[in-house]
Amino acid sequence: MPGIDASANDQRPTTMLKAVRGTRDLLPPETALWNFVEAAVRDVFRAYNFHEIRTPIFEETQLFSRAVGEETDVVSKEMYTWEDRTRAESEKGQSLTLRPENTAGVVRAYIEHKLWDRGLNKLYYIGPQFRRERPQKGRYRQFYQIGAEMLGPATAGSESPARDAEILELLATLLDRLGIENWTLELNSIGCANDRAKYNEALRKALEPVAAKMCADCQRRAVTNPLRVFDCKVPEDQPIIEELPRISQYLDEPCRKHFEQVQEILNAVGVAVHVNDRLVRGLDYYTRTAFEFTHGALGAQNAILGGGRYDGLSEMLGGPSAPGIGFAIGEDRLVLALKENAEAVQPKPDVYIAPLGAGMDREAARLARELRRHDLIAELGDETFRLKKSFEVASKLGARFILIVGENEVKAGAFALKNLESGEQVSVARAELARKIQAGH
Ligand code: HAM
């Protein structure tokens, strides 16, 4: 390969390479918890008739700048963007970006494949997203989202407050199903484009005399996109932000009604809501309903998920009118909230098969194949191990049984099976092994 001189490697001291800052390896037993979470959410999505979509991990940069908004932190500071080095003339210099979120990609795919024609209007996804944020507990540069989007023509009822309530009820069900307690649903309506124009004007006016005392970002936002002032984390700016007008005073009648109806349905199905008229969300595509679920045990990064309605997004991306609502759960944060259970869901081997002496690897392999066909988790030892070592390995792995495979056992067609929890040891005929191990559960 040009530019890489293999011999130069020999001169260099060997330095240990580590995962890039903000990225991490997910290791067992935690990966079992991730699988548990993903299996449970797939079940819930199934019950609500959502279907899975997988969009590319990178897209054209303008997809995100148009959908999420130039002035948002995500687009202005956090995206991993590069100019493609392809030789194809038509693609030269194309600006590409690792997806920082998945709503834009899903809506792009919805438009590109005319999914409304196929009646596909409830889609979910599970996958990595990328944002160059300052890493801390619960905040990573590669993180995972479990998300869903429900969108379609207004004639199909996609604007209805019943859809908002259905999404929020789904989320309450999901968190309950996973055993997550103590979550709070923070709910707001940020109105439609009309309301927002009025609200932005009011914010601009209110910011005029105070902007000079605020951080550089806020000074810029006060002019370009005043709503984004609410994303500010600078402590000194917070008293000023606290005094700014609230969106709730600017909702028109249809938006106010929509918001009320969402709450009425949630009330009817028993989902508790905390109305928070300071919640505006950090992405520009939202209209009307905006929400976050927070969880006390997560510390500073306490938003376990966020979402809302995005009625104009499809048009913004060149598509037809397709009002929609969706959410994304931070899977890393969900797993953090569940972490205490990590050991409990890590499956342990049912049986450790210990071949004893030359030629026994073969026999052990045959037995492992038979037992695994019965859905048992079998871990294979090695014929070079002494019996003592096999016992040590089996107990380190947490195996429930150890099965001894020596020449005598093979000849007799019966094997020593020891229950490592109770210490009981029995001789079991080959045909009976699976049943005996299963019965020992
Ligand atoms: P978001 O609020 O930017 O919304 O992200 C959703 C969730 O992803 C957050 O609540 C958080 O749990 C998780 N998250 C975000 N950034 C990080 C990070 N750096 N490390 C770990 N977790 C993180 C969206 O992305 C929207 N697309 C949600 C949506 C879907 N709205 C409508 N449909």
Side-chain angles (χ1 to χ4, degrees), residues 403-423:
L403 179 68
I404 315 293
V405 184
E407 211 166 322
N408 293 340
E409 283 85 356
V410 173
K411 267 193 204 130
F415 300 83
L417 182 72
K418 182 162 184 167
N419 184 324
L420 290 172
E421 281 151 27
S422 67

Side-chain angles (χ1 to χ4, degrees), residues 159-404:
E159 262 172 330
S160 164
R163 300 286 76 77
D164 307 49
E166 186 180 4
I167 283 277
L168 291 162
E169 189 276 330
L170 177 159
L171 283 164
T173 300
L174 194 102
L175 295 181
D176 290 344
R177 174 85 61 95
L178 287 169
I180 301 221
E181 286 164 5
N182 305 324
W183 49 261
T184 305
L185 161 52
E186 309 261 345
L187 188 67
N188 195 18
S189 173
I190 56 169
C192 52
N194 264 347
D195 307 333
R196 276 251 283 296
K198 279 184 271 160
Y199 183 51
N200 267 327
E201 217 21 68
L203 281 179
R204 212 168 263 138
K205 270 216 191 84
L207 283 163
E208 238 167 48
V210 288
K213 294 183 226 152
M214 300 179 84
C215 70
D217 279 344
C218 282
Q219 294 188 23
R220 198 186 61 248
R221 291 162 175 155
V223 181
T224 57
N225 189 349
L227 195 70
R228 295 274 68 93
V229 163
F230 292 104
D231 302 341
C232 176
K233 305 280 176 326
V234 176
E236 294 75 27
D237 289 0
Q238 298 312 309
I240 300 176
I241 293 170
E242 192 45 45
E243 293 301 315
L244 293 174
R246 294 169 181 244
I247 183 77
S248 49
Q249 299 148 3
Y250 292 84
L251 298 185
D252 64 14
E253 203 39 43
C255 288
R256 200 183 301 278
K257 191 125 205 282
H258 192 277
F259 190 34
E260 264 171 33
Q261 285 171 329
V262 174
Q263 292 176 71
E264 278 164 19
I265 303 176
L266 288 173
N267 195 17
V269 295
V271 174
V273 163
H274 179 246
V275 174
N276 172 1
D277 66 359
R278 283 289 179 216
L279 180 77
V280 297
R281 308 273 300 130
L283 314 167
D284 276 352
Y285 49 61
Y286 290 117
T287 53
R288 294 190 162 171
T289 309
F291 58 85
E292 279 180 4
F293 281 60
T294 54
H295 189 270
L298 289 175
Q301 300 307 314
N302 67 351
I304 204 161
L305 67 92
R309 194 163 256 294
Y310 43 83
D311 289 349
L313 180 55
S314 173
E315 289 98 316
M316 245 149 60
L317 298 177
S321 158
I325 180 161
F327 64 83
I329 304 173
E331 191 175 0
D332 306 74
R333 295 185 191 175
L334 191 64
V335 168
L336 265 175
L338 279 171
K339 198 108 176 228
E340 314 82 80
N341 305 337
E343 283 297 333
V345 295
Q346 166 77 353
K348 296 272 192 323
D350 295 304
V351 58
Y352 181 90
I353 304 175
L356 205 61
M360 289 301 114
D361 273 346
R362 236 182 2 242
E363 298 298 334
R366 284 180 54 202
L367 278 161
R369 190 167 156 89
E370 289 167 23
L371 295 175
R372 285 170 181 156
R373 278 193 184 141
H374 284 88
D375 259 356
L376 289 166
I377 307 174
E379 179 72 29
L380 268 174
D382 193 286
E383 65 183 28
T384 61
F385 291 179
R386 290 171 182 281
L387 193 56
K388 181 163 176 277
K389 176 160 175 177
S390 290
F391 267 95
E392 279 166 11
V393 178
S395 71
K396 195 162 173 203
L397 290 171
R400 286 188 306 112
F401 286 96
I402 187 166
L403 179 68
I404 315 293

